[in-house]
Amino acid sequence: MVSHQPCTDNSSSSIDEECDMLSQVSSSSSSESQAVQPGASWGNMSNNPLSNDTFWICTLNINSFPLSPKHPKLAALRSFIHTQQLDIIGLSEINVNWNQFSPHPRINHRVEKWWETVNCTYANNIYDTIQSVYQPGGTTILSFNSLANRVISSDRYPSGLRRWVSVLY
């Protein structure tokens, strides 16, 4: 079920299902010969030690970034990132109009205490005239710890529609 409202503290079965799906991704495995099932992982999700020239990257359609810092979806996301020892995660379908917030409660301020160092590049449509917190789309790239310190530059879609972001390391 696709939610057309940003996540709040109110529990619903769809939010619980999304949190369960996040936790299942970290514990499930798949074979290359199997079709990827919804909620299943693909690729190499093992936690083998990384060499100095290797990093973990993940993409995830979060289907609405929670507005409340106490929302269980944020705890599940943080746990997933830590469990998988990710260095970068790209989130799509943020579904939040960050223009409706003062700078402090935006996404970068919501995740900055999760790691020693974090770089957050996010984008949403800056031309939307609807005065709503909900806004379809939006993306972010989060880089953590040593990789966050290697960021040379970041960019957003130049038209202002902000359909993608990029980071150069």
Side-chain angles (χ1 to χ4, degrees):
M1 177 167 76
V2 176
S3 170
H4 293 288
Q5 297 296 323
C7 296
T8 64
D9 279 334
N10 300 332
S11 296
S12 74
S13 61
S14 65
I15 292 170
D16 292 339
E17 290 168 6
E18 291 169 12
C19 291
D20 288 344
M21 202 174 344
L22 275 173
S23 62
Q24 288 172 7
V25 169
S26 65
S27 62
S28 66
S29 62
S30 64
S31 165
E32 288 184 34
S33 62
Q34 294 176 328
V36 176
Q37 300 297 316
S41 64
W42 51 273
N44 182 355
M45 296 296 286
S46 68
N47 282 325
N48 296 330
L50 299 177
S51 65
N52 289 339
D53 61 350
T54 306
F55 60 89
W56 289 107
I57 185 169
C58 175
T59 61
L60 178 68
N61 179 335
I62 196 165
N63 192 21
S64 294
F65 191 87
L67 296 178
S68 169
K70 296 179 181 180
H71 194 282
K73 192 179 207 179
L74 281 182
L77 177 63
R78 183 178 182 182
S79 175
F80 173 74
I81 292 168
H82 284 283
T83 301
Q84 296 304 319
Q85 300 175 3
L86 299 176
D87 298 298
I88 302 171
I89 189 165
L91 301 174
S92 61
E93 299 301 325
I94 302 297
N95 296 337
V96 177
N97 184 354
W98 296 111
N99 302 329
Q100 296 297 313
F101 294 90
S102 65
H104 182 68
R106 292 185 182 175
I107 189 170
N108 51 322
H109 296 286
R110 293 168 189 257
V111 300
E112 69 185 356
K113 294 192 182 351
W114 288 5
W115 299 274
E116 184 177 318
T117 308
V118 62
N119 178 277
C120 177
T121 303
Y122 67 92
N124 64 289
N125 184 340
I126 61 172
Y127 297 120
D128 195 345
T129 58
I130 297 174
Q131 299 295 311
S132 170
V133 172
Y134 175 77
Q135 181 185 66
T139 59
T140 190
I141 296 176
L142 298 171
S143 309
F144 317 112
N145 298 328
S146 65
L147 217 52
N149 292 323
R150 296 181 185 180
V151 171
I152 297 169
S153 66
S154 59
D155 200 4
R156 297 179 174 121
Y157 193 69
S159 75
L161 295 179
R162 307 287 172 94
R163 300 193 185 271
W164 59 258
V165 294
S166 64
V167 177
L168 176 64
Y169 300 91

